[in-house]
Amino acid sequence: MKYYILSFLAITFTLSACKPEAPVSEETKQLFQSVEWLAGEWTFNDEIKGKTTVETWEKTGNLELTGSGVTTEGSKTTFSEKLAVKVKNDELFYVATLPEHKKPVWFKVIESDGNSFLVDNQENEYPKQIRYTLAEGNHRIKIELLGGGKRVIMNYFRSK
């Protein structure tokens, strides 16, 4: 009897863990395709502060990009974050996971035209919005951090 109960529980657990993915609309698929140009390695050199930031992105799933942002000063890492662009509940999100936050920060993609996209989270302290813009063919991206009356612009160049 004990064997049957354990078997039943194991099968139930296995089946519940294998839930099918929620359907994704064509609109959300197209929105994701409009930001796929982000895949690659992008470098920002802040010569005034003597720092270099590298954002690396790769397509890791049908509808997912994962990446990281690492800032170094000489050989010392001064900042790092994990990044992702992914679908949740048929909406596209930019997700930043920072060491100082307990939970990832989710920004909804609210606008995209194939050469730029804007993400928004008005509940985040700063930035409230982030805009990525592709420029100079596909050799440069401009990243703008917006919110609270501040606007920070960084120009990254494709390094891979």
Side-chain angles (χ1 to χ4, degrees):
M1 182 67 156
K2 195 183 226 184
Y3 172 76
Y4 293 112
I5 293 172
L6 289 175
S7 295
F8 175 76
L9 290 174
I11 291 169
T12 303
F13 177 75
T14 302
L15 292 175
S16 67
C18 297
K19 292 180 186 174
E21 291 184 25
V24 178
S25 68
E26 281 303 313
E27 181 181 345
T28 300
K29 289 177 185 177
Q30 289 175 357
L31 186 58
F32 177 81
Q33 290 169 352
S34 75
V35 304
E36 284 183 296
W37 53 261
L38 191 57
E41 184 176 285
W42 304 90
T43 302
F44 169 67
N45 289 309
D46 187 337
E47 295 174 3
I48 296 171
K49 294 181 180 179
K51 295 182 180 184
T52 300
T53 302
V54 177
E55 275 198 19
T56 305
W57 290 90
E58 67 178 290
K59 188 173 179 184
T60 53
N62 190 33
L63 294 169
E64 184 172 39
L65 293 167
T66 58
S68 64
V70 178
T71 301
T72 57
E73 190 172 357
S75 61
K76 180 183 176 190
T77 299
T78 59
F79 175 80
S80 68
E81 64 184 335
K82 291 180 183 178
L83 302 166
V85 174
K86 58 182 158 183
V87 175
K88 181 179 178 184
N89 299 327
D90 200 30
E91 294 184 309
L92 191 62
F93 290 90
Y94 172 98
V95 185
T97 305
L98 301 130
E100 62 268 17
H101 290 136
K102 292 180 181 177
K103 295 181 180 180
V105 181
W106 291 71
F107 294 84
K108 183 178 176 184
V109 177
I110 60 169
E111 172 182 307
S112 178
D113 65 9
N115 288 318
S116 70
F117 65 94
L118 178 66
V119 301
D120 182 82
N121 179 341
Q122 293 300 308
E123 294 177 11
N124 192 46
E125 184 177 338
Y126 181 82
K128 303 265 186 218
Q129 295 183 319
I130 305 169
R131 179 181 298 278
Y132 280 73
T133 304
L134 185 62
E136 296 177 21
N138 64 354
H139 301 291
R140 181 172 67 89
I141 54 173
K142 177 172 72 171
I143 300 175
E144 298 173 81
L145 306 176
L146 308 161
K150 293 191 271 184
R151 181 177 179 209
V152 174
I153 298 174
M154 298 166 287
N155 288 297
Y156 286 69
F157 292 89
R158 185 180 291 278
S159 44
K160 285 187 184 177

